[in-house]
Amino acid sequence: MGYCSGRCTLIFICGMQLVCVLERQIFDFLGYQWAPILANFVHIIIVILGLFGTIQYRPRYITGYAVWLVLWVTWNVFVICFYLEAGDLSKETDLILTFNISMHRSWWMENGPGCMVTSVTPAPDWAPEDHRYITVSGCFLEYQYIEVAHSSLQIVLALAGFIYACYVVKCITEEEDSFDFIGGFDSYGYQGPQKTSHLQLQPMYMQIPLDNN
């Protein structure tokens, strides 16, 4: 019962991870955040493999999924530190999340709850011609805290998924070992019933020459 409950819980966690990361992927696409887009894409693939392994009793898939969750937690911790500007990190750096391809920021910067966007004219000389120069005010919640909340949710789901993945792999391994023990009597000289062949014996006739003398 415990194994079935753990397996069903892991399936539910994988489903929640897929829903949350797909929602996050949409907003990262809208904000042209290329590094998170790539990380989200890899995460989606591995969660699907982990879900497949859980349903089909494939411990190797589940183990790979658990290993990836460690890297996924590390990535989300970095994102939190980035938006909170921990250490020398700065959320104004273009190179980290956009690969220095664009000057876009998080989609939530302009579209957060209560945010008022005002265009500034004329634009400064350093502003690119294909970009508008704006100011954002009145936000009920700053965009960096929304991004931190997204990453925090991913960390919670990843930790839960890691715990249940380890538990399910342990249960599957123990179950396979028990089957090997039950079927391992051959190594101790046990032999099952063998089919006996029924052969019909035929008489043989030999001709012996007679001596006339």
Side-chain angles (χ1 to χ4, degrees):
M1 180 65 69
Y3 166 55
C4 179
S5 176
R7 181 168 164 266
C8 294
T9 303
L10 182 58
I11 292 174
F12 173 77
I13 292 173
C14 289
M16 288 295 297
Q17 286 180 318
L18 285 176
V19 172
C20 293
V21 76
L22 286 173
E23 177 266 341
R24 187 180 187 182
Q25 184 79 314
I26 292 173
F27 293 112
D28 285 338
F29 262 115
L30 294 174
Y32 301 96
Q33 305 294 293
W34 301 115
I37 288 171
L38 181 61
N40 293 338
F41 179 74
V42 176
H43 184 60
I44 291 171
I45 293 177
I46 296 183
V47 170
I48 292 174
L49 292 177
L51 183 61
F52 172 79
T54 305
I55 296 174
Q56 296 295 325
Y57 299 92
R58 303 291 181 88
R60 291 184 179 180
Y61 286 83
I62 305 174
T63 302
Y65 161 77
V67 172
W68 164 254
L69 289 181
V70 176
L71 301 177
W72 182 244
V73 168
T74 304
W75 164 254
N76 282 278
V77 169
F78 166 76
V79 172
I80 291 175
C81 294
F82 173 78
Y83 280 108
L84 295 181
E85 297 184 325
D88 295 332
L89 295 174
S90 174
K91 61 180 181 294
E92 304 299 330
T93 304
D94 300 327
L95 179 61
I96 296 179
L97 297 186
T98 64
F99 296 141
N100 208 24
I101 297 176
S102 67
M103 297 179 63
H104 290 86
R105 299 291 186 271
S106 170
W107 182 83
W108 296 103
M109 182 177 182
E110 302 179 23
N111 301 277
C115 291
M116 301 291 295
V117 179
T118 305
S119 298
V120 176
T121 54
D125 296 335
W126 53 265
E129 295 181 358
D130 57 343
H131 287 68
R132 58 174 181 159
Y133 190 67
I134 62 173
T135 59
V136 181
S137 60
C139 297
F140 297 134
L141 186 64
E142 296 293 335
Y143 73 95
Q144 61 266 28
Y145 300 117
I146 299 178
E147 295 288 356
V148 168
H150 275 95
S151 294
S152 300
L153 177 60
Q154 292 295 327
I155 291 175
V156 171
L157 292 175
L159 292 176
F162 180 82
I163 294 173
Y164 277 96
C166 293
Y167 174 72
V168 171
V169 170
K170 175 178 175 292
C171 291
I172 294 177
T173 304
E174 290 179 350
E175 186 175 351
E176 290 178 350
D177 291 342
S178 65
F179 282 133
D180 292 340
F181 177 77
I182 294 173
F185 291 109
D186 291 340
S187 59
Y188 294 94
Y190 173 80
Q191 295 181 354
Q194 299 179 354
K195 294 183 179 180
T196 58
S197 59
H198 301 281
L199 299 177
Q200 184 177 2
L201 300 178
Q202 299 292 337
M204 296 180 63
Y205 300 95
M206 297 180 64
Q207 185 177 2
I208 301 176
L210 298 177
D211 188 0
N212 294 327
N213 296 330

